[in-house]
Amino acid sequence: MDARLRAAGVVPLALLPFTLLGCGLGGDDGAGGTPERVPVQEASGKARERVQAYLDAMAAKDPAAGRNQLCATMQEGFDAAATGPNGDFADHFRVPGATITDIRTSAQGQEVSTTVTVSVGTKKTTRSLLFTVTRDGADWCIAGEEPGGHRPEPSVTP
């Protein structure tokens, strides 16, 4: 009789992990990924959108559209420098090409590496720019821009 009671207690314990998976504990979150990865994917997508909009504004020579991608703390400095002699929106610069090359998570937010081709007359040069995109309340914005960037990480195939 003792053996039957122990067996009756072991079967429910053995089935417990399968029951918990059905309740959403420890398994798929229903969105096709794990719960921890969804925020990173969202951040990467939002960062890409903001930087691409900024690059498009540079190419179109639309400082207002570029300014709209920036965090409030960067907008005052942007107003003073954007159309100046070395600003991103200077009249004599043309931007025939700009590409996002890498996106990484950092302590400051999402770091978006780009290559931007700038031409002045017949001269062309390509430079790397690193944008930092962060969340400001419910919205995302560019919090920093500096020369440089990251090389794309090699892809790993299983």
Side-chain angles (χ1 to χ4, degrees), residues 143-157:
E145 174 188 348
E146 62 186 67
H150 302 291
R151 292 180 185 230
E153 294 180 345
S155 60
V156 178
T157 54

Side-chain angles (χ1 to χ4, degrees), residues 3 13 23 65 90 92 110 126 142 146:
L13 288 175
C23 295
H92 60 284
Q110 297 295 307
T126 300
I142 297 173
E146 62 186 67

Side-chain angles (χ1 to χ4, degrees), residues 27-39 41:
D28 192 347
D29 67 11
T34 62
E36 296 82 27
R37 294 186 66 175
V38 173
Q41 292 168 342

Side-chain angles (χ1 to χ4, degrees), residues 2-123:
D2 225 0
R4 275 191 278 167
L5 286 174
R6 272 190 265 159
V10 170
V11 172
L13 288 175
L15 295 175
L16 184 62
F18 299 109
T19 305
L20 291 176
L21 284 174
C23 295
L25 295 176
D28 192 347
D29 67 11
T34 62
E36 296 82 27
R37 294 186 66 175
V38 173
V40 172
Q41 292 168 342
E42 175 190 0
S44 178
K46 295 294 185 179
R48 177 179 293 278
E49 287 173 18
R50 285 297 182 171
V51 171
Q52 188 61 57
Y54 187 83
L55 296 173
D56 292 346
M58 283 174 57
K61 295 288 184 214
D62 187 348
R67 185 181 198 280
N68 286 337
Q69 306 314 310
L70 303 176
C71 296
T73 56
M74 286 195 58
Q75 290 180 354
E76 185 176 324
F78 175 84
D79 292 341
T83 57
N86 293 316
D88 290 348
F89 295 84
D91 286 336
H92 60 284
F93 290 149
R94 299 289 170 249
V95 181
T99 305
I100 293 173
T101 58
D102 188 63
I103 301 175
R104 295 184 188 184
T105 301
S106 75
Q108 292 79 28
Q110 297 295 307
E111 292 183 343
V112 181
S113 300
T114 65
T115 56
V116 179
T117 302
V118 176
S119 65
V120 178
T122 59
K123 292 184 178 183

